[in-house]
Amino acid sequence: MNLVLLGAPGAGKGTQAEKIQHALNIPILSTGNLLRQAIAAGTELGRKAQTYMDGGNLVPDELIIGLVAERLKSPDCANGVIFDGFPRTLPQAQALDRAAKVDVVLSIEVADETIMQRMSGRRTCPQCQASYHVTDNPPQKEGVCDKCGAQLSIRHDDEPDTVRSRLEVYHRQTEPIKEYYGAQGKLKKVQGQPKLADTVKLVSEALGVSL
Ligand code: AMP
């Protein structure tokens, strides 16, 4: 099954993707994580992407589409993929339709003000990219990743001004693709809840899988 997770930055796509990954046993393809890995590795793509990311803007479609096409060639993607943070523009959605059959698009809906509050508590593992929240989804040991033991940090683009730009970019460039998938009859919407477990329950019902 190919599943697209849509939602504003901080809506909880990454957290839900991790739950779904374990239930369906298919990999997560997060373009944000692939870009951060490229930056950490100092590749040409990473250098090109960094300026856009630091400003809260989208990385150009051609770079993203190439990155996704490359990742989809891996054998572990053969049984389906959970797309997290991709597509983010109409041309990306159209390119994805040419590359793979999208089965379901799940949009996690969260109000901007809630996002602004949430992002201030988000902590990310720079090593394995796992995502936490200081109060809503804390690690077992404060400041330490449950999965790999690395020290958690605040993502550079989670600073309030950058989050505001990212939300604006989301509404202008990404939200229109809901209509595109709605017209294909693939769009399901879930209201993000204050408690993580409640959102997981709604996602589980929407997808018809036990999470
Ligand atoms: P994310 O981790 O998904 O919030 O992505 C972090 C940043 O990476 C975004 O603010 C964009 O600058 C860039 N990015 C990630 N995915 C995409 C995409 N599909 N298209 C364009 N830019 C992207």
Side-chain angles (χ1 to χ4, degrees):
M1 161 148 108
N2 285 311
L3 167 69
V4 170
L5 291 179
L6 273 183
K13 299 186 296 293
T15 309
Q16 299 302 325
E18 284 176 29
K19 306 266 177 210
I20 300 165
Q21 172 181 41
H22 293 122
L24 297 182
N25 199 25
I26 51 175
I28 300 170
L29 195 165
S30 156
T31 41
N33 284 351
L34 291 175
L35 292 168
R36 282 184 286 278
Q37 282 160 12
I39 291 173
T43 67
E44 198 192 332
L45 168 70
R47 275 194 297 279
K48 284 184 184 158
Q50 184 152 32
T51 351
Y52 297 100
M53 292 170 76
D54 285 350
N57 295 307
L58 295 186
V59 174
D61 286 337
E62 61 273 17
L63 295 181
I64 297 290
I65 290 167
L67 183 70
V68 171
E70 205 44 50
R71 179 68 185 87
L72 283 177
K73 285 183 193 161
S74 301
D76 67 322
C77 295
N79 293 328
V81 169
I82 304 159
F83 293 96
D84 166 8
F86 175 87
R88 263 177 154 103
T89 63
L90 197 53
Q92 290 181 19
Q94 289 162 336
L96 177 58
D97 272 345
R98 290 191 292 273
K101 180 180 171 286
V102 173
D103 297 293
V104 185
V105 178
L106 186 76
S107 172
I108 305 174
E109 314 265 318
V110 178
D112 286 5
E113 274 324 298
T114 312
I115 298 270
M116 291 301 299
Q117 284 163 13
R118 271 195 199 173
M119 294 297 253
S120 62
R122 179 148 94 168
R123 300 291 179 272
T124 309
C125 175
Q127 197 161 287
C128 76
Q129 312 287 335
S131 185
Y132 301 89
H133 189 278
V134 285
T135 51
D136 301 351
N137 181 25
Q140 275 161 17
K141 186 166 176 232
E142 197 187 320
V144 177
C145 180
D146 290 346
K147 300 204 170 95
C148 72
Q151 206 66 31
L152 300 178
S153 59
I154 301 178
R155 260 169 57 178
H156 184 55
D157 58 351
D158 282 350
E159 305 291 343
D161 282 352
T162 317
V163 172
R164 245 179 272 278
S165 313
R166 291 167 67 200
L167 282 170
E168 198 267 319
V169 164
Y170 173 74
H171 292 305
R172 186 163 36 89
Q173 292 182 268
T174 306
E175 270 206 304
I177 68 176
K178 281 195 213 167
E179 226 168 278
Y180 175 79
Y181 286 122
Q184 294 184 2
K186 293 177 180 169
L187 183 70
K188 290 179 193 271
K189 289 185 187 174
V190 157
Q191 295 296 327
Q193 303 296 313
K195 288 211 175 83
L196 173 61
D198 294 335
T199 312
V200 172
K201 188 163 174 276
L202 293 178
V203 169
S204 163
E205 285 164 7
L207 296 180
V209 290
S210 141
L211 298 176

